Amino acid sequence: MDRGLALIDKEIGKPSRYYDALLLRAYPGLKVGHLGTLDPFASGLLVVAVGKATKFLPYLLDEPKSYIATLTLGERKDTADLTGETIEEKEVGELSPERVAAVLSSFKGEIEQLPPAYSAVKVNGRPAYSYARKGEEVLLKKRACLVSSINLVSLKGKDIVFTCSVSKGTYIRTLGEDIARALGTVGYLSSLRRLAMGKMTIAAAQRLREGEVPSLLDPSLFLKPFKRYEVKPEEERMVRDGKPLALPALYEGEERVFITYRGEVLASYVQKGGRFCSERGLF
């Protein structure tokens, strides 16, 4: 198989690029790239594309992500997670499950976040963390994101365990700090585990260690449900050559159509000037 997605259950302490390296050794000569970086302290679902499956990544980037996290109250860390240095301490008042659940619910919906200083957000061509590590100040801009669900799992002392489903670009570390602030204190994430990305779930993920060759899944299984058009044999060559297609009237107004031949997804086409033009070859 010259392409596929490996759904990996990432271990705590390993950077995401560690798994890229494992896949490069398992499938020598093929391109490799992961979708949605997880910080070293986090665990859970990491999606790594191999070979021609890397071409599918732009169509999987916008998938919502689900997590389970532990927010520890009373301390604030410079990295907003347990790997950082404590920069503030604050008393934690009396908490009840009802109060915590109500505060969590207040974050459901569209919110604005200020990305953490220790993040990969680019500022003047450099990731924000490169400034933070040198003690340099950097001006970050708020960004809009969507929290589609957020629920309390447990409250034990100063630890709040919660689950959430969020849009692309949402920082759970920042969400944790904002929740702590809404509770009148400070906090940091002491654990984070990704459970799902769109239709890809941790239940289908595999642990991967040095020397192992993971199984690969067809990336077309996880594409958003855009319409598909099965080309005729005489049209297949046109698609492979990147030429425009005249699609039936029922496709008018479609944002994007995936072109297939004998069941295989060959390309994505978008409508331009009344014609469908090749956006990206996926073969």
Side-chain angles (χ1 to χ4, degrees), residues 133-163:
R133 287 172 180 170
K134 294 181 178 179
E136 301 173 6
E137 289 191 11
V138 61
L139 183 62
L140 295 168
K141 296 181 180 179
K142 286 189 175 182
R143 53 169 60 182
C145 55
L146 175 67
V147 178
S148 54
S149 70
I150 183 165
N151 296 288
L152 177 65
V153 175
S154 67
L155 170 63
K156 294 181 180 179
K158 298 180 180 181
D159 289 339
I160 297 170
V161 180
F162 66 96
T163 58

PDB file of all heavy atoms in Angstrom, residues 133-163:
ATOM      1  N   ARG A 133      10.899  31.280  24.961  1.00  0.00           N
ATOM      2  CA  ARG A 133      12.065  30.587  25.513  1.00  0.00           C
ATOM      3  C   ARG A 133      13.251  31.516  25.736  1.00  0.00           C
ATOM      4  O   ARG A 133      14.128  31.242  26.550  1.00  0.00           O
ATOM      5  CB  ARG A 133      12.462  29.430  24.589  1.00  0.00           C
ATOM      6  CG  ARG A 133      11.493  28.254  24.657  1.00  0.00           C
ATOM      7  CD  ARG A 133      11.798  27.214  23.592  1.00  0.00           C
ATOM      8  NE  ARG A 133      10.860  26.090  23.668  1.00  0.00           N
ATOM      9  CZ  ARG A 133      10.778  25.135  22.744  1.00  0.00           C
ATOM     10  NH1 ARG A 133      11.555  25.183  21.667  1.00  0.00           N
ATOM     11  NH2 ARG A 133       9.908  24.155  22.886  1.00  0.00           N
ATOM     12  N   LYS A 134      13.281  32.623  24.987  1.00  0.00           N
ATOM     13  CA  LYS A 134      14.360  33.604  25.140  1.00  0.00           C
ATOM     14  C   LYS A 134      13.965  34.754  26.063  1.00  0.00           C
ATOM     15  O   LYS A 134      14.726  35.709  26.226  1.00  0.00           O
ATOM     16  CB  LYS A 134      14.759  34.158  23.774  1.00  0.00           C
ATOM     17  CG  LYS A 134      15.396  33.129  22.854  1.00  0.00           C
ATOM     18  CD  LYS A 134      15.779  33.762  21.523  1.00  0.00           C
ATOM     19  CE  LYS A 134      16.462  32.743  20.612  1.00  0.00           C
ATOM     20  NZ  LYS A 134      16.827  33.341  19.290  1.00  0.00           N
ATOM     21  N   GLY A 135      12.774  34.655  26.641  1.00  0.00           N
ATOM     22  CA  GLY A 135      12.311  35.702  27.530  1.00  0.00           C
ATOM     23  C   GLY A 135      11.877  36.962  26.808  1.00  0.00           C
ATOM     24  O   GLY A 135      11.738  38.030  27.418  1.00  0.00           O
ATOM     25  N   GLU A 136      11.648  36.863  25.501  1.00  0.00           N
ATOM     26  CA  GLU A 136      11.229  38.020  24.716  1.00  0.00           C
ATOM     27  C   GLU A 136       9.709  38.124  24.706  1.00  0.00           C
ATOM     28  O   GLU A 136       9.012  37.127  24.636  1.00  0.00           O
ATOM     29  CB  GLU A 136      11.743  37.901  23.277  1.00  0.00           C
ATOM     30  CG  GLU A 136      13.256  37.804  23.165  1.00  0.00           C
ATOM     31  CD  GLU A 136      13.695  37.527  21.728  1.00  0.00           C
ATOM     32  OE1 GLU A 136      12.826  37.530  20.825  1.00  0.00           O
ATOM     33  OE2 GLU A 136      14.895  37.304  21.509  1.00  0.00           O
ATOM     34  N   GLU A 137       9.214  39.339  24.751  1.00  0.00           N
ATOM     35  CA  GLU A 137       7.775  39.547  24.700  1.00  0.00           C
ATOM     36  C   GLU A 137       7.303  39.479  23.258  1.00  0.00           C
ATOM     37  O   GLU A 137       8.010  39.886  22.340  1.00  0.00           O
ATOM     38  CB  GLU A 137       7.404  40.902  25.308  1.00  0.00           C
ATOM     39  CG  GLU A 137       7.568  40.951  26.817  1.00  0.00           C
ATOM     40  CD  GLU A 137       6.946  42.197  27.414  1.00  0.00           C
ATOM     41  OE1 GLU A 137       6.215  42.900  26.674  1.00  0.00           O
ATOM     42  OE2 GLU A 137       7.184  42.464  28.593  1.00  0.00           O
ATOM     43  N   VAL A 138       6.106  38.963  23.078  1.00  0.00           N
ATOM     44  CA  VAL A 138       5.533  38.866  21.745  1.00  0.00           C
ATOM     45  C   VAL A 138       4.049  39.185  21.828  1.00  0.00           C
ATOM     46  O   VAL A 138       3.374  38.816  22.794  1.00  0.00           O
ATOM     47  CB  VAL A 138       5.761  37.448  21.145  1.00  0.00           C
ATOM     48  CG1 VAL A 138       5.085  36.384  21.995  1.00  0.00           C
ATOM     49  CG2 VAL A 138       5.262  37.388  19.722  1.00  0.00           C
ATOM     50  N   LEU A 139       3.553  39.919  20.850  1.00  0.00           N
ATOM     51  CA  LEU A 139       2.151  40.315  20.832  1.00  0.00           C
ATOM     52  C   LEU A 139       1.330  39.293  20.057  1.00  0.00           C
ATOM     53  O   LEU A 139       1.511  39.129  18.853  1.00  0.00           O
ATOM     54  CB  LEU A 139       2.003  41.701  20.188  1.00  0.00           C
ATOM     55  CG  LEU A 139       0.578  42.292  20.165  1.00  0.00           C
ATOM     56  CD1 LEU A 139       0.060  42.485  21.590  1.00  0.00           C
ATOM     57  CD2 LEU A 139       0.562  43.605  19.399  1.00  0.00           C
ATOM     58  N   LEU A 140       0.474  38.593  20.768  1.00  0.00           N
ATOM     59  CA  LEU A 140      -0.398  37.593  20.152  1.00  0.00           C
ATOM     60  C   LEU A 140      -1.805  38.148  20.033  1.00  0.00           C
ATOM     61  O   LEU A 140      -2.258  38.928  20.879  1.00  0.00           O
ATOM     62  CB  LEU A 140      -0.405  36.308  20.982  1.00  0.00           C
ATOM     63  CG  LEU A 140       0.935  35.560  21.071  1.00  0.00           C
ATOM     64  CD1 LEU A 140       0.872  34.480  22.139  1.00  0.00           C
ATOM     65  CD2 LEU A 140       1.271  34.942  19.722  1.00  0.00           C
ATOM     66  N   LYS A 141      -2.498  37.751  18.986  1.00  0.00           N
ATOM     67  CA  LYS A 141      -3.852  38.229  18.744  1.00  0.00           C
ATOM     68  C   LYS A 141      -4.874  37.162  19.118  1.00  0.00           C
ATOM     69  O   LYS A 141      -4.631  35.972  18.942  1.00  0.00           O
ATOM     70  CB  LYS A 141      -4.024  38.606  17.272  1.00  0.00           C
ATOM     71  CG  LYS A 141      -3.141  39.767  16.830  1.00  0.00           C
ATOM     72  CD  LYS A 141      -3.385  40.083  15.365  1.00  0.00           C
ATOM     73  CE  LYS A 141      -2.499  41.241  14.908  1.00  0.00           C
ATOM     74  NZ  LYS A 141      -2.713  41.557  13.463  1.00  0.00           N
ATOM     75  N   LYS A 142      -6.004  37.617  19.624  1.00  0.00           N
ATOM     76  CA  LYS A 142      -7.077  36.688  19.958  1.00  0.00           C
ATOM     77  C   LYS A 142      -7.620  36.050  18.688  1.00  0.00           C
ATOM     78  O   LYS A 142      -7.581  36.642  17.614  1.00  0.00           O
ATOM     79  CB  LYS A 142      -8.204  37.404  20.698  1.00  0.00           C
ATOM     80  CG  LYS A 142      -7.866  37.741  22.141  1.00  0.00           C
ATOM     81  CD  LYS A 142      -9.088  38.250  22.876  1.00  0.00           C
ATOM     82  CE  LYS A 142      -8.777  38.463  24.358  1.00  0.00           C
ATOM     83  NZ  LYS A 142      -9.987  38.910  25.113  1.00  0.00           N
ATOM     84  N   ARG A 143      -8.114  34.832  18.836  1.00  0.00           N
ATOM     85  CA  ARG A 143      -8.703  34.129  17.693  1.00  0.00           C
ATOM     86  C   ARG A 143     -10.021  33.497  18.127  1.00  0.00           C
ATOM     87  O   ARG A 143     -10.198  33.089  19.287  1.00  0.00           O
ATOM     88  CB  ARG A 143      -7.755  33.057  17.161  1.00  0.00           C
ATOM     89  CG  ARG A 143      -7.258  32.092  18.218  1.00  0.00           C
ATOM     90  CD  ARG A 143      -6.544  30.892  17.613  1.00  0.00           C
ATOM     91  NE  ARG A 143      -5.387  31.290  16.842  1.00  0.00           N
ATOM     92  CZ  ARG A 143      -4.616  30.431  16.188  1.00  0.00           C
ATOM     93  NH1 ARG A 143      -4.885  29.135  16.246  1.00  0.00           N
ATOM     94  NH2 ARG A 143      -3.577  30.836  15.507  1.00  0.00           N
ATOM     95  N   ALA A 144     -10.937  33.420  17.179  1.00  0.00           N
ATOM     96  CA  ALA A 144     -12.248  32.836  17.460  1.00  0.00           C
ATOM     97  C   ALA A 144     -12.180  31.320  17.330  1.00  0.00           C
ATOM     98  O   ALA A 144     -11.462  30.783  16.486  1.00  0.00           O
ATOM     99  CB  ALA A 144     -13.279  33.393  16.496  1.00  0.00           C
ATOM    100  N   CYS A 145     -12.892  30.622  18.182  1.00  0.00           N
ATOM    101  CA  CYS A 145     -12.983  29.163  18.097  1.00  0.00           C
ATOM    102  C   CYS A 145     -14.340  28.729  18.633  1.00  0.00           C
ATOM    103  O   CYS A 145     -15.085  29.524  19.203  1.00  0.00           O
ATOM    104  CB  CYS A 145     -11.835  28.488  18.849  1.00  0.00           C
ATOM    105  SG  CYS A 145     -11.670  28.976  20.568  1.00  0.00           S
ATOM    106  N   LEU A 146     -14.637  27.462  18.436  1.00  0.00           N
ATOM    107  CA  LEU A 146     -15.940  26.938  18.825  1.00  0.00           C
ATOM    108  C   LEU A 146     -15.774  25.765  19.771  1.00  0.00           C
ATOM    109  O   LEU A 146     -15.067  24.799  19.465  1.00  0.00           O
ATOM    110  CB  LEU A 146     -16.721  26.491  17.581  1.00  0.00           C
ATOM    111  CG  LEU A 146     -18.063  25.801  17.837  1.00  0.00           C
ATOM    112  CD1 LEU A 146     -19.062  26.793  18.434  1.00  0.00           C
ATOM    113  CD2 LEU A 146     -18.625  25.206  16.548  1.00  0.00           C
ATOM    114  N   VAL A 147     -16.427  25.841  20.912  1.00  0.00           N
ATOM    115  CA  VAL A 147     -16.500  24.727  21.857  1.00  0.00           C
ATOM    116  C   VAL A 147     -17.899  24.132  21.697  1.00  0.00           C
ATOM    117  O   VAL A 147     -18.891  24.701  22.160  1.00  0.00           O
ATOM    118  CB  VAL A 147     -16.264  25.196  23.305  1.00  0.00           C
ATOM    119  CG1 VAL A 147     -16.382  24.021  24.280  1.00  0.00           C
ATOM    120  CG2 VAL A 147     -14.898  25.859  23.438  1.00  0.00           C
ATOM    121  N   SER A 148     -17.980  22.994  21.022  1.00  0.00           N
ATOM    122  CA  SER A 148     -19.296  22.419  20.731  1.00  0.00           C
ATOM    123  C   SER A 148     -19.856  21.639  21.915  1.00  0.00           C
ATOM    124  O   SER A 148     -21.078  21.494  22.050  1.00  0.00           O
ATOM    125  CB  SER A 148     -19.233  21.524  19.492  1.00  0.00           C
ATOM    126  OG  SER A 148     -18.226  20.549  19.621  1.00  0.00           O
ATOM    127  N   SER A 149     -18.980  21.132  22.783  1.00  0.00           N
ATOM    128  CA  SER A 149     -19.441  20.480  24.018  1.00  0.00           C
ATOM    129  C   SER A 149     -18.344  20.548  25.064  1.00  0.00           C
ATOM    130  O   SER A 149     -17.157  20.549  24.723  1.00  0.00           O
ATOM    131  CB  SER A 149     -19.835  19.025  23.767  1.00  0.00           C
ATOM    132  OG  SER A 149     -18.702  18.221  23.503  1.00  0.00           O
ATOM    133  N   ILE A 150     -18.741  20.638  26.319  1.00  0.00           N
ATOM    134  CA  ILE A 150     -17.785  20.628  27.431  1.00  0.00           C
ATOM    135  C   ILE A 150     -18.530  20.134  28.666  1.00  0.00           C
ATOM    136  O   ILE A 150     -19.596  20.655  29.011  1.00  0.00           O
ATOM    137  CB  ILE A 150     -17.151  22.019  27.646  1.00  0.00           C
ATOM    138  CG1 ILE A 150     -16.102  21.977  28.762  1.00  0.00           C
ATOM    139  CG2 ILE A 150     -18.190  23.098  27.891  1.00  0.00           C
ATOM    140  CD1 ILE A 150     -15.189  23.198  28.795  1.00  0.00           C
ATOM    141  N   ASN A 151     -17.998  19.106  29.304  1.00  0.00           N
ATOM    142  CA  ASN A 151     -18.703  18.456  30.408  1.00  0.00           C
ATOM    143  C   ASN A 151     -17.764  18.057  31.528  1.00  0.00           C
ATOM    144  O   ASN A 151     -16.609  17.656  31.293  1.00  0.00           O
ATOM    145  CB  ASN A 151     -19.420  17.198  29.899  1.00  0.00           C
ATOM    146  CG  ASN A 151     -20.508  17.509  28.886  1.00  0.00           C
ATOM    147  OD1 ASN A 151     -21.557  18.041  29.229  1.00  0.00           O
ATOM    148  ND2 ASN A 151     -20.241  17.202  27.625  1.00  0.00           N
ATOM    149  N   LEU A 152     -18.249  18.154  32.743  1.00  0.00           N
ATOM    150  CA  LEU A 152     -17.497  17.741  33.930  1.00  0.00           C
ATOM    151  C   LEU A 152     -17.519  16.221  34.052  1.00  0.00           C
ATOM    152  O   LEU A 152     -18.578  15.597  33.974  1.00  0.00           O
ATOM    153  CB  LEU A 152     -18.105  18.374  35.184  1.00  0.00           C
ATOM    154  CG  LEU A 152     -17.480  17.978  36.519  1.00  0.00           C
ATOM    155  CD1 LEU A 152     -16.040  18.461  36.617  1.00  0.00           C
ATOM    156  CD2 LEU A 152     -18.321  18.523  37.679  1.00  0.00           C
ATOM    157  N   VAL A 153     -16.337  15.644  34.242  1.00  0.00           N
ATOM    158  CA  VAL A 153     -16.222  14.209  34.485  1.00  0.00           C
ATOM    159  C   VAL A 153     -16.107  13.956  35.986  1.00  0.00           C
ATOM    160  O   VAL A 153     -16.812  13.109  36.545  1.00  0.00           O
ATOM    161  CB  VAL A 153     -15.005  13.607  33.753  1.00  0.00           C
ATOM    162  CG1 VAL A 153     -14.819  12.134  34.122  1.00  0.00           C
ATOM    163  CG2 VAL A 153     -15.172  13.756  32.244  1.00  0.00           C
ATOM    164  N   SER A 154     -15.215  14.699  36.646  1.00  0.00           N
ATOM    165  CA  SER A 154     -15.058  14.531  38.091  1.00  0.00           C
ATOM    166  C   SER A 154     -14.397  15.763  38.701  1.00  0.00           C
ATOM    167  O   SER A 154     -13.702  16.522  38.010  1.00  0.00           O
ATOM    168  CB  SER A 154     -14.228  13.288  38.415  1.00  0.00           C
ATOM    169  OG  SER A 154     -12.884  13.453  37.987  1.00  0.00           O
ATOM    170  N   LEU A 155     -14.626  15.944  39.982  1.00  0.00           N
ATOM    171  CA  LEU A 155     -13.991  17.000  40.776  1.00  0.00           C
ATOM    172  C   LEU A 155     -13.420  16.352  42.023  1.00  0.00           C
ATOM    173  O   LEU A 155     -14.152  15.821  42.849  1.00  0.00           O
ATOM    174  CB  LEU A 155     -15.010  18.075  41.146  1.00  0.00           C
ATOM    175  CG  LEU A 155     -14.559  19.127  42.163  1.00  0.00           C
ATOM    176  CD1 LEU A 155     -13.397  19.945  41.615  1.00  0.00           C
ATOM    177  CD2 LEU A 155     -15.727  20.037  42.549  1.00  0.00           C
ATOM    178  N   LYS A 156     -12.080  16.369  42.118  1.00  0.00           N
ATOM    179  CA  LYS A 156     -11.407  15.782  43.271  1.00  0.00           C
ATOM    180  C   LYS A 156     -10.399  16.781  43.802  1.00  0.00           C
ATOM    181  O   LYS A 156      -9.348  17.009  43.194  1.00  0.00           O
ATOM    182  CB  LYS A 156     -10.700  14.483  42.884  1.00  0.00           C
ATOM    183  CG  LYS A 156     -11.645  13.364  42.463  1.00  0.00           C
ATOM    184  CD  LYS A 156     -10.890  12.095  42.126  1.00  0.00           C
ATOM    185  CE  LYS A 156     -11.851  10.980  41.706  1.00  0.00           C
ATOM    186  NZ  LYS A 156     -11.124   9.716  41.355  1.00  0.00           N
ATOM    187  N   GLY A 157     -10.736  17.410  44.937  1.00  0.00           N
ATOM    188  CA  GLY A 157      -9.841  18.412  45.503  1.00  0.00           C
ATOM    189  C   GLY A 157      -9.661  19.570  44.538  1.00  0.00           C
ATOM    190  O   GLY A 157     -10.628  20.229  44.143  1.00  0.00           O
ATOM    191  N   LYS A 158      -8.426  19.804  44.124  1.00  0.00           N
ATOM    192  CA  LYS A 158      -8.123  20.897  43.197  1.00  0.00           C
ATOM    193  C   LYS A 158      -8.090  20.453  41.737  1.00  0.00           C
ATOM    194  O   LYS A 158      -7.759  21.244  40.857  1.00  0.00           O
ATOM    195  CB  LYS A 158      -6.773  21.528  43.562  1.00  0.00           C
ATOM    196  CG  LYS A 158      -6.722  22.158  44.948  1.00  0.00           C
ATOM    197  CD  LYS A 158      -5.352  22.767  45.219  1.00  0.00           C
ATOM    198  CE  LYS A 158      -5.300  23.402  46.602  1.00  0.00           C
ATOM    199  NZ  LYS A 158      -3.959  24.013  46.863  1.00  0.00           N
ATOM    200  N   ASP A 159      -8.422  19.200  41.478  1.00  0.00           N
ATOM    201  CA  ASP A 159      -8.361  18.670  40.122  1.00  0.00           C
ATOM    202  C   ASP A 159      -9.752  18.555  39.493  1.00  0.00           C
ATOM    203  O   ASP A 159     -10.645  17.897  40.035  1.00  0.00           O
ATOM    204  CB  ASP A 159      -7.692  17.285  40.107  1.00  0.00           C
ATOM    205  CG  ASP A 159      -6.202  17.362  40.389  1.00  0.00           C
ATOM    206  OD1 ASP A 159      -5.618  18.451  40.206  1.00  0.00           O
ATOM    207  OD2 ASP A 159      -5.626  16.337  40.785  1.00  0.00           O
ATOM    208  N   ILE A 160      -9.891  19.182  38.350  1.00  0.00           N
ATOM    209  CA  ILE A 160     -11.127  19.115  37.581  1.00  0.00           C
ATOM    210  C   ILE A 160     -10.854  18.319  36.313  1.00  0.00           C
ATOM    211  O   ILE A 160      -9.991  18.685  35.507  1.00  0.00           O
ATOM    212  CB  ILE A 160     -11.617  20.522  37.186  1.00  0.00           C
ATOM    213  CG1 ILE A 160     -11.957  21.341  38.435  1.00  0.00           C
ATOM    214  CG2 ILE A 160     -12.817  20.440  36.250  1.00  0.00           C
ATOM    215  CD1 ILE A 160     -12.206  22.812  38.132  1.00  0.00           C
ATOM    216  N   VAL A 161     -11.545  17.211  36.142  1.00  0.00           N
ATOM    217  CA  VAL A 161     -11.435  16.419  34.918  1.00  0.00           C
ATOM    218  C   VAL A 161     -12.650  16.737  34.050  1.00  0.00           C
ATOM    219  O   VAL A 161     -13.788  16.655  34.525  1.00  0.00           O
ATOM    220  CB  VAL A 161     -11.376  14.907  35.219  1.00  0.00           C
ATOM    221  CG1 VAL A 161     -11.264  14.110  33.924  1.00  0.00           C
ATOM    222  CG2 VAL A 161     -10.187  14.597  36.143  1.00  0.00           C
ATOM    223  N   PHE A 162     -12.391  17.126  32.807  1.00  0.00           N
ATOM    224  CA  PHE A 162     -13.502  17.473  31.913  1.00  0.00           C
ATOM    225  C   PHE A 162     -13.233  16.974  30.496  1.00  0.00           C
ATOM    226  O   PHE A 162     -12.083  16.729  30.111  1.00  0.00           O
ATOM    227  CB  PHE A 162     -13.743  18.989  31.891  1.00  0.00           C
ATOM    228  CG  PHE A 162     -12.625  19.803  31.290  1.00  0.00           C
ATOM    229  CD1 PHE A 162     -12.656  20.198  29.961  1.00  0.00           C
ATOM    230  CD2 PHE A 162     -11.543  20.198  32.070  1.00  0.00           C
ATOM    231  CE1 PHE A 162     -11.638  20.968  29.407  1.00  0.00           C
ATOM    232  CE2 PHE A 162     -10.511  20.969  31.532  1.00  0.00           C
ATOM    233  CZ  PHE A 162     -10.554  21.350  30.189  1.00  0.00           C
ATOM    234  N   THR A 163     -14.293  16.787  29.751  1.00  0.00           N
ATOM    235  CA  THR A 163     -14.184  16.452  28.333  1.00  0.00           C
ATOM    236  C   THR A 163     -14.680  17.635  27.515  1.00  0.00           C
ATOM    237  O   THR A 163     -15.492  18.439  27.991  1.00  0.00           O
ATOM    238  CB  THR A 163     -15.031  15.216  27.966  1.00  0.00           C
ATOM    239  OG1 THR A 163     -16.395  15.463  28.313  1.00  0.00           O
ATOM    240  CG2 THR A 163     -14.525  13.970  28.683  1.00  0.00           C
TER     241      THR A 163
END
